Amino acid sequence: MRYLDHNATTPLDARVRDAVIAALADPLLQGNPASVHSTGQRARAVVEQARRAVARALGAEALEVTFTSGGTEADNLALLGAARALRAAGRPAGVLTSPLEHPAVLAAARRLTREGHPLALVAVDAAGRIEADALRAALRENPETGVVSLAAANHVLGNAYDIPSLVRVVRELAPHALFHCDAVQAFGKLPLDFHAWDLDLLSVSSHKIYGPKGAGALVHRRRLALDPLLLGGQQERGRRAGTEPVATIAGFGLAAQLAATELAARHTHVAALADRLRAGLSNMSDVTVHGDRERRVGNTVSAGFHGCDAQLLAMNLDLAGIAVSYGAACSSGTPEPSPVLLALGLAPAAARSALRISFGVGNTEDDVDALLAALPEAIARVRGAEGGGDWREVTP
């Protein structure tokens, strides 16, 4: 199988796998990291070593890293935890985000609206860009904003955003507001720096950087008040109850270290593959590539195949031995078109025609060429089954 769906999850790096297995097999690491005896403290040392590795990779301090079960929990803790704590302190607690965000962010924001927190969305353009002027307008129209949440990279389009410039807008117009950045799709693809970017909250996930599933982190200012989602023990300094999975966190720490040290080489490799795919798609009729052509993470191509249902097209490519996505993995299986593509102004039929192809370090030019070779037959088969369709690009 040619795997071209790395935005959904990445294969486990062999070096990380070995580290996880070694931690699982080590009889000296079987204790609870919260225990005071030597076995527990050895496990604690592994957790703290990983915490330092994640912090270094993100330009943060170790005490600013709270381990979670993944990016979804980190996003949830950032929005729900921060907004609820702000309200409890009598401060503005509205949320400002964009229609392009990951479902983990938007679902948390909608939950807050049911609790009485105002919610506003910043305008985006047809390429999925978020401009500073649009953010300024949204902040002026929503003075009750207490949390701004914008991603460093979009999970569907592959757009990259100038987060530092957007943070400066927030500091200028809403200095009381917290800035949360969902960096799940940016980690390992773009340079990230928590302090240099002047962030308050930052979410990342292990399985997007060739680490094990089941681990993530929320980076936050040390003294920032967060209302915890999970209640129980005092693990993670009271921000996230539950016994830490030592082996999984050890793997996450190594994956973070590798993501930072190998960032440039990885980016060069996957960007060349994405450029090769775009060049090939440009020679095909009735294909539209979505997203920002200038600022992007490098590994992602979102393309609409006019007259095709992308779910059927992905299934046909799967039969040809090629794995791609027709949207975010957390949304696949739903008949609804991608909210991200609808936010660009695409008609529902056009949004349903889009595939997301995302490359990783294990992919080669042969994978790109195999996809380009398989697409014409798969497209013809799907169009023939559907009899064409309305694929107008912009909603009337």
Side-chain angles (χ1 to χ4, degrees):
M1 175 65 71
R2 298 180 186 271
Y3 184 74
L4 309 179
D5 194 18
H6 289 77
N7 283 9
T9 192
T10 52
L12 191 62
D13 186 293
R15 295 165 292 182
V16 175
R17 178 199 62 208
D18 291 345
V20 172
I21 292 173
L24 287 170
D26 189 341
L28 298 178
L29 296 180
Q30 303 310 307
N32 188 318
S35 299
V36 297
H37 50 65
S38 59
T39 302
Q41 290 310 295
R42 289 189 186 96
R44 169 56 55 193
V46 170
V47 170
E48 296 311 316
Q49 180 182 3
R51 196 187 310 276
R52 290 191 293 271
V54 171
R56 282 193 298 270
L58 297 170
E61 300 174 15
L63 289 177
E64 295 173 320
V65 174
T66 293
F67 286 123
T68 67
S69 63
T72 291
E73 186 188 340
D75 284 341
N76 279 211
L77 179 57
L79 269 71
L80 297 171
R84 289 168 177 168
L86 288 172
R87 168 166 281 189
R91 296 172 55 186
V95 175
L96 176 62
T97 185
S98 89
L100 306 176
E101 304 306 309
H102 189 273
V105 168
L106 293 176
R110 288 192 294 270
R111 170 65 63 85
L112 287 168
T113 64
R114 297 197 292 272
E115 299 176 7
H117 296 257
L119 171 62
L121 299 177
V122 63
V124 303
D125 68 12
R129 290 182 288 253
I130 300 174
E131 303 292 354
D133 285 344
L135 181 56
R136 287 190 184 95
L139 288 168
R140 290 188 178 111
E141 293 169 5
N142 299 276
E144 70 280 19
T145 297
V147 181
V148 177
S149 181
L150 297 172
N154 185 265
H155 56 293
V156 173
L157 302 170
N159 287 5
Y161 298 94
D162 186 358
I163 294 298
S165 71
L166 298 177
V167 172
R168 287 192 291 271
V169 171
V170 174
R171 300 304 183 219
E172 172 193 351
L173 296 180
H176 60 278
L178 303 175
F179 198 109
H180 166 248
C181 180
D182 176 356
V184 168
Q185 288 293 347
F187 194 16
K189 302 170 188 173
L190 299 173
L192 302 173
D193 196 315
F194 181 74
H195 283 292
W197 289 14
D198 193 23
L199 297 171
D200 299 294
L201 299 142
L202 177 76
S203 302
V204 292
S205 180
S206 168
H207 78 100
K208 306 292 189 179
I209 58 167
Y210 307 94
K213 298 174 180 65
L218 177 64
V219 184
H220 49 79
R221 300 284 182 177
R222 286 179 62 176
R223 294 178 176 83
L224 183 65
L226 287 173
D227 193 23
L229 303 183
L230 301 181
L231 305 177
Q234 290 300 305
Q235 292 91 348
E236 298 301 297
R237 299 170 305 286
R239 299 182 187 276
R240 202 271 186 186
T243 301
E244 296 95 340
V246 176
T248 304
I249 287 175
F252 181 22
L254 179 55
Q257 176 185 331
L258 295 171
T261 58
E262 299 178 1
L263 175 66
R266 292 181 182 184
H267 175 79
T268 299
H269 176 70
V270 297
L273 298 179
D275 287 343
R276 186 180 185 90
L277 175 59
R278 290 188 190 93
L281 293 175
S282 70
N283 297 321
M284 300 175 62
S285 61
D286 295 338
V287 177
T288 299
V289 176
H290 304 300
D292 191 340
R293 298 188 180 187
E294 300 299 325
R295 294 187 62 89
R296 55 195 184 209
V297 293
N299 81 314
T300 306
V301 177
S302 174
F305 298 85
H306 305 164
C308 287
D309 179 285
Q311 183 174 1
L312 294 178
L313 185 55
M315 291 177 178
N316 274 271
L317 290 172
D318 186 58
L319 293 174
I322 301 171
V324 299
S325 171
Y326 56 92
C330 53
S331 301
S332 294
T334 173
E336 297 301 318
S338 166
V340 169
L341 296 176
L342 293 178
L344 306 188
L346 299 184
R352 290 191 188 95
S353 76
L355 291 179
R356 181 188 69 182
I357 301 100
S358 46
F359 297 103
V361 295
N363 289 131
T364 65
E365 291 183 351
D366 286 345
D367 294 328
V368 179
D369 296 342
L371 173 61
L372 290 170
L375 273 170
E377 181 179 347
I379 291 170
R381 187 180 298 115
V382 172
R383 285 177 179 162
E386 295 189 317
D390 178 8
W391 45 264
R392 289 171 293 176
E393 285 299 310
V394 179
T395 304

